[in-house]
Coordinates of all heavy atoms in Angstrom, one line a residue:
T899 N 91.4 -28.1 8.6 CA 90.3 -28.7 7.8 C 90.6 -30.0 7.4 O 89.7 -30.8 7.3 CB 90.0 -27.7 6.7 OG1 89.5 -26.4 7.2 CG2 88.8 -28.2 5.9
V900 N 91.8 -30.3 6.9 CA 92.2 -31.5 6.4 C 92.8 -32.6 7.4 O 93.3 -33.6 7.0 CB 93.1 -31.5 5.2 CG1 92.6 -30.6 4.1 CG2 94.5 -30.9 5.6
G901 N 92.8 -32.1 8.6 CA 93.3 -33.0 9.7 C 94.8 -33.1 9.9 O 95.3 -34.1 10.5
A902 N 95.5 -32.0 9.4 CA 96.9 -32.0 9.6 C 97.3 -31.2 10.8 O 96.7 -30.2 11.1 CB 97.5 -31.4 8.4
S903 N 98.3 -31.6 11.5 CA 98.8 -30.9 12.6 C 99.9 -29.8 12.2 O 100.7 -30.1 11.4 CB 99.4 -31.8 13.7 OG 100.5 -32.6 13.1
I904 N 99.9 -28.7 12.8 CA 100.7 -27.6 12.4 C 102.1 -28.0 12.9 O 102.4 -28.4 14.0 CB 100.3 -26.3 13.0 CG1 101.3 -25.2 12.6 CG2 100.1 -26.3 14.5 CD1 101.1 -24.5 11.3
I905 N 103.2 -27.9 12.1 CA 104.6 -28.1 12.5 C 105.3 -26.8 12.6 O 105.8 -26.5 13.7 CB 105.3 -28.9 11.4 CG1 104.6 -30.3 11.2 CG2 106.8 -29.1 11.7 CD1 104.6 -31.2 12.4
R906 N 105.2 -25.9 11.7 CA 105.9 -24.6 11.8 C 105.6 -23.8 10.6 O 105.0 -24.3 9.5 CB 107.4 -24.7 11.9 CG 108.1 -25.4 10.7 CD 109.6 -25.4 10.9 NE 110.3 -26.0 9.8 CZ 110.7 -25.4 8.7 NH1 110.4 -24.2 8.5 NH2 111.3 -26.1 7.7
E907 N 106.0 -22.5 10.6 CA 105.9 -21.7 9.4 C 107.1 -22.0 8.5 O 108.2 -22.3 9.0 CB 105.9 -20.2 9.7 CG 104.6 -19.7 10.4 CD 104.6 -18.2 10.4 OE1 105.4 -17.5 9.7 OE2 103.7 -17.7 11.2
I908 N 106.9 -21.9 7.1 CA 108.0 -21.8 6.2 C 108.7 -20.5 6.5 O 108.0 -19.5 6.5 CB 107.6 -21.9 4.8 CG1 106.7 -23.2 4.5 CG2 108.8 -22.0 3.9 CD1 107.4 -24.5 4.9
E909 N 110.0 -20.5 6.7 CA 110.7 -19.3 7.1 C 110.9 -18.4 5.9 O 110.9 -18.9 4.8 CB 112.1 -19.7 7.6 CG 112.0 -20.4 9.0 CD 111.4 -19.5 10.0 OE1 111.7 -18.4 10.1 OE2 110.7 -20.0 10.9
P910 N 111.0 -17.1 6.1 CA 111.3 -16.2 5.0 C 112.6 -16.6 4.4 O 113.6 -16.8 5.1 CB 111.4 -14.8 5.7 CG 110.5 -15.0 6.9 CD 110.7 -16.3 7.3
G911 N 112.7 -16.6 3.1 CA 113.9 -17.0 2.4 C 114.2 -18.5 2.4 O 115.3 -18.9 2.0
E912 N 113.2 -19.3 2.8 CA 113.4 -20.8 2.8 C 112.7 -21.4 1.7 O 111.6 -21.1 1.2 CB 112.8 -21.3 4.1 CG 113.1 -22.9 4.3 CD 112.4 -23.4 5.5 OE1 111.5 -22.7 6.2 OE2 112.7 -24.6 6.0
F913 N 113.4 -22.6 1.2 CA 112.8 -23.5 0.2 C 112.8 -24.8 0.7 O 113.8 -25.3 1.3 CB 113.7 -23.3 -1.1 CG 113.4 -24.4 -2.2 CD1 112.3 -24.3 -3.0 CD2 114.2 -25.5 -2.3 CE1 112.0 -25.3 -4.0 CE2 114.0 -26.4 -3.3 CZ 112.9 -26.4 -4.1
I914 N 111.7 -25.5 0.5 CA 111.6 -26.9 1.0 C 111.2 -27.8 -0.2 O 110.5 -27.4 -1.1 CB 110.7 -27.1 2.2 CG1 109.2 -26.9 1.8 CG2 111.1 -26.2 3.4 CD1 108.2 -27.3 2.8
A915 N 111.6 -29.1 -0.1 CA 111.2 -30.1 -1.0 C 110.8 -31.3 -0.2 O 111.4 -31.7 0.8 CB 112.3 -30.5 -2.0
I916 N 109.6 -31.9 -0.7 CA 109.1 -33.1 0.0 C 108.8 -34.2 -1.0 O 108.1 -34.1 -2.0 CB 107.7 -32.7 0.6 CG1 107.8 -31.6 1.6 CG2 107.1 -34.0 1.3 CD1 106.5 -31.1 2.1
D917 N 109.5 -35.4 -0.7 CA 109.2 -36.6 -1.5 C 109.4 -37.9 -0.7 O 109.4 -37.7 0.5 CB 110.2 -36.5 -2.7 CG 111.6 -36.5 -2.4 OD1 112.0 -36.8 -1.1 OD2 112.5 -36.2 -3.2
A918 N 109.6 -39.0 -1.3 CA 109.7 -40.2 -0.6 C 110.9 -40.3 0.4 O 110.9 -41.1 1.3 CB 109.8 -41.4 -1.5
D919 N 111.8 -39.4 0.1 CA 113.1 -39.4 1.1 C 112.8 -38.4 2.2 O 113.7 -38.2 3.0 CB 114.3 -38.9 0.2 CG 114.7 -39.9 -0.9 OD1 114.5 -41.1 -0.6 OD2 115.1 -39.4 -1.9
G920 N 111.7 -37.7 2.4 CA 111.3 -36.9 3.5 C 111.4 -35.4 3.0 O 111.1 -35.1 1.9
I921 N 111.7 -34.5 4.0 CA 111.7 -33.1 3.8 C 113.2 -32.6 3.7 O 114.0 -32.9 4.6 CB 110.9 -32.3 4.9 CG1 109.5 -32.7 4.8 CG2 111.2 -30.8 4.7 CD1 108.7 -31.9 5.7
R922 N 113.4 -31.8 2.6 CA 114.7 -31.1 2.6 C 114.5 -29.6 2.6 O 113.6 -29.2 1.9 CB 115.5 -31.5 1.3 CG 115.8 -32.9 1.2 CD 116.5 -33.2 -0.2 NE 115.7 -33.0 -1.3 CZ 114.7 -33.9 -1.7 NH1 114.4 -35.0 -1.1 NH2 113.9 -33.6 -2.9
S923 N 115.3 -28.9 3.4 CA 115.2 -27.5 3.5 C 116.5 -26.8 3.0 O 117.6 -27.2 3.4 CB 114.9 -27.1 5.0 OG 114.9 -25.7 5.1
H924 N 116.3 -25.7 2.3 CA 117.4 -25.0 1.8 C 117.1 -23.5 2.0 O 116.0 -22.9 2.0 CB 117.6 -25.1 0.3 CG 117.7 -26.6 -0.2 ND1 119.0 -27.2 -0.2 CD2 116.8 -27.4 -0.6 CE1 118.8 -28.4 -0.6 NE2 117.5 -28.6 -0.9
R925 N 118.2 -22.7 2.4 CA 118.1 -21.3 2.5 C 118.6 -20.6 1.2 O 119.8 -20.8 0.9 CB 118.9 -20.8 3.7 CG 119.1 -19.4 3.9 CD 117.7 -18.6 4.3 NE 117.3 -19.2 5.6 CZ 116.2 -18.8 6.2 NH1 115.4 -17.8 5.6 NH2 115.8 -19.2 7.4
F926 N 117.7 -19.9 0.4 CA 118.1 -19.4 -0.8 C 118.3 -17.8 -0.6 O 118.9 -17.2 -1.5 CB 117.1 -19.6 -1.9 CG 115.7 -18.9 -1.7 CD1 115.6 -17.5 -2.1 CD2 114.7 -19.5 -1.1 CE1 114.3 -16.9 -1.9 CE2 113.5 -18.9 -0.9 CZ 113.3 -17.5 -1.3
A927 N 118.0 -17.2 0.5 CA 118.2 -15.8 0.8 C 118.2 -15.5 2.3 O 117.5 -16.3 3.0 CB 117.2 -15.0 0.1

Side-chain angles (χ1 to χ4, degrees):
T899 298
V900 302
S903 57
I904 179 85
I905 299 299
R906 63 176 178 86
E907 289 192 15
I908 306 300
E909 293 295 321
E912 183 183 14
F913 168 77
I914 67 169
I916 303 172
D917 59 17
D919 296 325
I921 294 184
R922 298 179 296 280
S923 173
H924 305 274
R925 173 69 63 180
F926 68 86

